[in-house]
Amino acid sequence: MSKGLAIFTSGGDSAGMNPAVKCAAEYAARMGYKPWVVYDGLRGLIDDKFAEADKALMSGILHRGGTFLRSSRSKRFFDIEFRRQAFENLQKRGIEKLIVVGGDGSFRAMNQFYADFGIPFAGIPATIDNDIPETDYCLGVDTALNMIRQSVDSIRDTADSFSRAFVIEVMGRHCGYLAMVSALACGAEICLTPELPYNLDSIGERLRADFKRGRNYILAIVAEGTKMGDYLTRWINDTIGMEARLTVLGHVQRGGSPTVRDRLMAYKFAVGAVDALERGEKDSIMIYRDGTYATKPIHEVCDSRYQLDPTVLRLCRPLCQ
Ligand code: F6P
């Protein structure tokens, strides 16, 4: 019987998960594994929601956003008895290796599972927040950025037509990556993120000088982690004296067909994950750093802090002063 390998998605969904699952399953089959998928993330591991990853199941999923396997955040997985149930589900199918597509919480859960039952795993970073340490890129980020870019470009049309200010809140949890990159890509006048100190007085002076030179509208991008959306909107309205509106983009940023970049990154991470398991690595996370694909043991990833690109930080600094 060929050795079993199961793939699943876990935590917040992101575009690129489906191409990662498809490529991992197909490449694993070529490498002599019997590929399986698990529905509903960690919950499905416990509740025995497995399916053979055959050609029919892997067809027609590449272009779809989200994860066709569905995802979950499972509290039960913290309990050894439920983890044992998950292990028994793997054992009865001869599944000896796992690939998890998700975030650092899911990687930690797999690390615990490896410590308990010795099932090697490889992790593929996927979250629109782009906040997993040691990798410059997580699946879903490019698709989310393009979704934000399209929305902000549309908002600019109405902002200009009506001489208004728009504050646009973007996701990212505690990380300001989406806010900073979209502020740069969309030419926003203001960007507030948790990583950079801001000064409303100097922002105000800058805006007034811009108005004197003929500027008639403002775009401000705010990371959700700052919780500044409402406040900044009122401040522009009351202190700066320009009619202001708040747009919270919300979960639209998590959906949509994966961009070419996300599909290709998904393939490279997926092949890297199968290769890492084949080489005998037990607890590797795929990373993309300075243009190179590599693997790192989970403790090196989860014990470090995420560092934002210093050039992006430098370019954004003038937008919060
Ligand atoms: O981690 C991805 C993310 O979309 C964050 O940007 C956001 O803060 C959070 O998930 C939203 O979580 P939920 O979908 O549970 O509301």
Side-chain angles (χ1 to χ4, degrees):
M1 190 170 87
S2 54
K3 47 206 177 162
L5 178 152
I7 306 150
F8 66 99
T9 54
S10 178
D13 56 277
S14 68
M17 283 181 155
N18 288 331
V21 170
K22 176 181 171 69
C23 181
E26 291 175 351
Y27 183 64
R30 287 207 296 279
M31 297 292 284
Y33 289 94
K34 175 168 181 172
W36 295 80
V37 287
V38 187
Y39 288 95
D40 296 328
L42 296 173
R43 196 160 64 206
L45 273 179
I46 297 169
D47 294 336
D48 208 18
K49 298 211 175 144
F50 289 70
E52 288 184 33
D54 57 21
K55 275 217 167 306
L57 194 63
M58 292 300 113
S59 297
I61 61 167
L62 177 62
H63 63 293
R64 285 167 55 184
T67 163
F68 88 106
L69 291 178
R70 299 186 297 271
S71 190
S72 65
R73 297 180 177 120
S74 167
K75 287 211 174 83
R76 283 186 301 159
F77 208 79
F78 289 111
D79 182 331
I80 179 73
E81 283 318 311
F82 287 114
R83 293 202 296 278
R84 190 181 310 285
Q85 209 169 303
F87 174 63
E88 284 163 10
N89 292 335
L90 298 179
Q91 256 196 327
K92 70 185 179 199
R93 296 181 172 89
I95 297 171
E96 297 165 356
K97 295 181 182 188
L98 291 172
I99 292 179
V100 53
V101 188
D104 50 354
S106 313
F107 300 158
R108 281 181 223 271
M110 281 301 94
N111 201 31
Q112 183 58 55
F113 194 60
Y114 172 62
D116 295 333
F117 303 106
I119 299 282
F121 71 95
I124 294 180
T127 165
I128 65 164
D129 302 342
N130 212 25
D131 61 350
I132 298 179
E134 299 296 324
T135 183
D136 296 339
Y137 195 78
C138 303
L139 297 183
V141 171
D142 190 59
T143 307
L145 283 171
N146 275 291
M147 194 64 85
I148 297 169
R149 198 261 315 137
Q150 193 180 348
S151 310
V152 176
D153 285 352
S154 300
I155 288 173
R156 178 190 290 278
D157 293 341
T158 174
D160 187 13
S161 306
F162 227 76
S163 298
R164 273 176 172 165
F166 275 84
V167 175
I168 300 140
E169 183 187 289
V170 301
M171 278 186 165
R173 209 179 288 271
H174 307 296
C175 178
Y177 184 85
L178 288 180
M180 286 190 256
V181 174
S182 51
L184 293 174
C186 299
E189 281 67 47
I190 304 171
C191 177
L192 303 189
T193 76
E195 292 84 1
L196 290 171
Y198 52 84
N199 182 331
L200 290 186
D201 292 338
S202 63
I203 291 175
E205 277 172 35
R206 180 161 57 83
L207 293 177
R208 287 190 190 96
D210 283 352
F211 295 154
K212 277 196 191 130
R213 284 194 290 268
R215 167 140 226 107
N216 72 316
Y217 68 95
I218 302 170
L219 292 179
I221 300 200
V222 173
E224 65 172 337
T226 63
K227 302 195 189 320
M228 280 291 286
D230 275 320
Y231 185 87
L232 186 68
T233 311
R234 266 184 281 117
W235 178 80
I236 295 175
N237 207 77
D238 301 344
T239 308
I240 299 298
M242 179 175 270
E243 192 183 6
R245 294 281 188 272
L246 173 65
T247 302
V248 178
L249 286 184
H251 287 77
V252 70
Q253 296 160 93
R254 282 242 296 262
S257 178
T259 58
V260 171
R261 176 160 203 227
D262 270 322
R263 295 180 197 197
L264 204 56
M265 294 296 292
Y267 290 171
K268 298 214 174 174
F269 281 148
V271 166
V274 175
D275 283 345
L277 290 169
E278 187 60 10
R279 283 194 300 273
E281 292 178 28
K282 314 278 189 209
D283 59 355
S284 283
I285 308 301
M286 303 307 108
I287 63 160
Y288 177 73
R289 186 48 39 115
D290 299 327
T292 303
Y293 297 86
T295 64
K296 284 228 169 196
I298 185 170
H299 69 89
E300 284 185 33
V301 172
C302 290
D303 293 350
S304 38
R305 261 179 70 82
Y306 177 73
Q307 305 284 337
L308 277 167
D309 180 339
T311 311
V312 170
L313 285 169
R314 203 165 66 232
L315 287 167
C316 279
R317 220 161 251 129
L319 303 181
C320 51
Q321 283 162 6

